[in-house]
Amino acid sequence: MKEPLFYRAVRGPLTACFKAIYKPTLTGEENIPENGRVILAGNHTNYFDCLLVASATKRCVHYLAKDELMRGPLKLIFGSLGIIPVNRRQKDKAALETAEAMLREEKLIGIFPEGTINRTDDIIMPFKFGAVKMARDTETPVIPFVITGKYKPFKKSVKIRFFEPITVGENLEDANNNLMDTVKSEILKEGEK
């Protein structure tokens, strides 16, 4: 399966514009392989997080995203970007199957396991099991990432760091807790700097 044409067309100009305005600090991009199946999973702080993650790789990032983005006129845009719509009102088996099929085709999946932007006072919200389930079912490594700081135009105030891949074993609860603990502890470390 070829990557979406629209994504390939807009990725360069969009990420260049994003980087010029928000001047993000990217660390650990070398942990994202140039090819092969991989899952990028981390915390969700803002609508711009998708652009921030995508700006770290030239690969197409197929995000699992709320299905509301695939309704009405928005469907034309987001449908052309390789989004995998997720019905968050129930356990969406179809979305998981679509993502796993893409992984078997050696694609890159982006997921925010919190399920939505964290607007709470908690460091992170509990992670849903989608990322680790996909990883286990398809024998795909998960690369955790951490986003810290705020999106302030023309200031180097937002950071993203990608970590070395982790392998998910049979115990999904342990794997999910490990992923969540990794992200949470790294956010705390960033806050101490």
Side-chain angles (χ1 to χ4, degrees):
M1 179 205 315
K2 281 193 160 191
E3 300 295 10
L5 182 61
F6 185 62
Y7 187 100
R8 287 184 285 152
V10 301
R11 188 205 127 359
L14 202 57
T15 56
C17 184
F18 173 78
K19 286 180 174 181
I21 294 172
Y22 291 104
K23 303 183 180 306
T25 302
L26 283 71
T27 311
E29 314 96 293
E30 67 277 4
N31 290 318
I32 304 172
E34 291 181 14
N35 48 55
R37 68 184 74 169
V38 69
I39 298 167
L40 305 179
N43 62 315
H44 200 3
T45 67
N46 190 289
Y47 290 112
F48 288 133
D49 292 345
C50 294
L51 285 170
L52 180 59
V53 173
S55 71
T57 179
K58 292 183 178 173
R59 297 181 66 182
C60 177
V61 182
H62 295 275
Y63 288 104
L64 281 102
K66 59 185 179 180
D67 62 357
E68 290 92 338
L69 296 176
M70 297 294 281
R71 294 183 188 153
L74 290 176
K75 183 176 182 176
L76 291 172
I77 298 168
F78 290 104
S80 304
L81 292 173
I83 297 288
I84 302 165
V86 179
N87 181 346
R88 298 183 301 171
R89 298 166 298 285
Q90 63 185 37
K91 286 190 176 182
D92 193 341
K93 188 177 176 185
L96 201 60
E97 287 172 354
T98 300
E100 288 183 0
M102 287 185 158
L103 289 169
R104 290 187 182 98
E105 291 182 9
E106 306 302 315
K107 304 296 184 193
L108 185 154
I109 297 291
I111 186 169
F112 300 102
E114 291 169 285
T116 190
I117 294 170
N118 183 0
R119 293 186 176 89
T120 72
D121 292 331
D122 296 330
I123 296 164
I124 57 172
M125 297 186 300
F127 280 14
K128 299 183 185 314
F129 282 79
V132 294
K133 182 168 183 349
M134 284 188 293
R136 183 198 65 188
D137 291 352
T138 61
E139 298 180 351
T140 300
V142 177
I143 296 176
F145 64 81
V146 167
I147 298 170
T148 55
K150 302 288 182 192
Y151 291 87
K152 296 179 182 175
F154 309 110
K155 295 183 178 178
K156 291 187 84 133
S157 56
V158 66
K159 299 177 184 178
I160 186 166
R161 184 172 177 197
F162 296 90
F163 297 90
E164 291 188 3
I166 58 175
T167 303
V168 172
E170 283 302 309
N171 189 320
L172 289 183
E173 189 163 346
D174 285 352
N176 202 47
N177 287 337
N178 180 38
L179 178 60
M180 193 164 52
D181 290 345
T182 298
V183 171
K184 185 175 182 178
S185 65
E186 292 300 332
I187 292 171
L188 289 169
K189 283 181 195 173
E190 280 296 320
E192 292 169 2
K193 291 181 181 177

